[in-house]
Every structure is written in structure tokens, then in C-alpha cells.
Amino acid sequence: MPVSVATERKLREAMARLLAGEPLHTDGALTKENLAREAKVSHATVHRAEEVLAEWDARVARPVLRTPGEVQRDEVIADLRSRLREANTRVTELQGKLDALATVTANLYYENLELKKKDTTRRQGRVTALPASGPWPE
């Protein structure tokens, strides 16, 4: 079912604005979705307007799927993801070192306790009782 003359006119005007880089209702990306939004018609209506759609396909050889702002946003996101991956790798590495140090510290603590026990035991073993009467004067 073809579109009305008024709808075809709206689509052609919208196409002209998009191709000129002067959109009124969209971000300016050269997509069929934006053509529909710019003309304020449904996406299905665009596909029923076969002549306008053929002209669109001829004039927009390769549709630009992202606007410059979207490209910049995606580059920033990619950079931030890369930096996050590096930070996570560093955190994992440092956490491994921290865990190893905690293990060593715990082992040294328990070894220290054992050495203190042995030292206390040795000191107690060296003390001897002196005889009540001995060679010294009273």
C-alpha cells in the first residue's frame, strides 16, 4: 500500500534536512529510523514509501550508524574500559601480594609465640634451689 502525497512530501522534506545536516527532530545520523523520526511518521510508513526509500538508498550510499558525538562517547567508553581492566589487573596482583604477606606475618607471629614459650621453659629449667646450709656464712 503506497503512502499518501502528503506523507511522501514530509519524507522528502525530512530527507533533505538530514542530508543537509540540518535535522529538526533527530540527532542527524543518516538512518532510516531517523528519516521516520524527522518526518514524524512510523518506521513502517518509511518502508511503504518505496520511491522515497529508493532515493534514500541511492543518496545514502553507506549509512552512518553513529553520530560524531556517539563515536566520541564510544571511544571514551572503550578507553575507560581499558583503564578499568588495567586497574583490575593491578588490584588482583596487589591482592595476591597482600595475601602472601598476611600469610608470612601469621607464620612469623606463631613462630614468635613458640619461641617465647621455649625461652620461658628454658629459663625455668635453669633455676636451681640453693641448699639451706652451705659454705657461706650466715
Side-chain angles (χ1 to χ4, degrees), residues 19-118:
L19 292 172
E22 301 170 350
L24 299 176
H25 309 290
T26 65
D27 60 6
L30 299 177
T31 64
K32 292 175 187 172
E33 179 78 25
N34 275 351
L35 178 61
R37 286 183 186 153
E38 190 68 28
K40 294 189 173 183
V41 298
S42 73
H43 194 71
T45 301
V46 171
H47 287 281
R48 283 197 315 270
E50 294 174 2
E51 288 181 25
V52 175
L53 199 54
E55 185 178 335
W56 174 265
D57 289 338
R59 294 184 75 184
V60 180
R62 187 181 69 213
V64 177
L65 300 178
R66 299 182 303 167
T67 64
E70 291 171 325
V71 170
Q72 182 181 11
R73 176 203 63 205
D74 292 346
E75 288 172 353
V76 168
I77 290 172
D79 179 54
L80 290 173
R81 283 183 177 153
S82 173
R83 290 170 48 191
L84 180 61
R85 267 192 306 276
E86 290 171 7
N88 284 339
T89 300
R90 182 77 174 129
V91 165
T92 302
E93 175 185 321
L94 291 174
Q95 186 63 50
K97 289 181 179 181
L98 182 63
D99 291 345
L101 289 172
T103 302
V104 168
T105 302
N107 286 337
L108 289 173
Y109 174 77
Y110 288 112
E111 284 180 21
N112 191 21
L113 289 177
E114 290 299 318
L115 288 172
K116 283 181 180 179
K117 284 180 188 175
K118 285 181 184 177

